[in-house]
């Protein structure tokens, strides 16, 4: 499936998270609590992204990539969010 992350079209297998999709294509998303050997739980919230059409800011480590999804890892709204 194909999705867009920071204006870059990337192709991943179904079931891939947004974080893994970004990482596989050298797109940096900061992540503290993610570890490949434990189930992602979205604890640190550092990997929040903006996804077109969604009002909330999901965590990239717990969000599965979807066909046609448009993701932004950096935006004014994300940067202005309180810690
Ligand atoms: S890496 Fe911590 S919430 Fe995603």
């Amino acid at each position: 499936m194909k999705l867009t992350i920071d204006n870059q079209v990337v192709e991943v297998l179904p079931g891939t998270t947004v974080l893994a999709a970004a990482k596989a294509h050298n797109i940096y998303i900061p992540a503290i609590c993610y570890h490949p050997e434990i189930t992602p739980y979205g604890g640190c919230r550092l990997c929040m992204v903006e996804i077109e059409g969604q009002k909330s800011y999901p965590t990239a480590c717990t969000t599965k990539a979807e066909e046609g999804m448009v993701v932004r890892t950096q935006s004014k709204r994300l940067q202005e969010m309180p810690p």
Side-chain angles (χ1 to χ4, degrees):
M1 70 175 64
K2 289 181 182 175
L3 65 151
T4 303
I5 306 176
D6 292 346
N7 297 317
Q8 182 178 333
V9 176
V10 302
E11 192 163 357
V12 295
L13 295 173
T16 303
T17 64
V18 170
L19 181 64
K23 207 170 188 171
H25 293 83
N26 297 316
I27 299 168
Y28 177 67
I29 298 177
I32 291 177
C33 67
Y34 171 77
H35 189 283
E37 293 184 23
I38 61 172
T39 303
Y41 64 101
C44 73
R45 312 286 303 163
L46 194 63
C47 67
M48 286 193 304
V49 293
E50 195 173 293
I51 296 177
E52 217 167 88
Q54 291 190 20
K55 288 184 180 174
S56 63
Y57 298 90
T59 51
C61 67
T62 60
T63 303
K64 300 281 190 226
E66 293 177 14
E67 178 68 37
M69 186 181 254
V70 177
V71 179
R72 280 182 283 280
T73 66
Q74 297 178 34
S75 74
K76 188 171 168 41
R77 288 169 65 192
L78 279 171
Q79 289 172 345
E80 290 176 351
M81 293 186 80

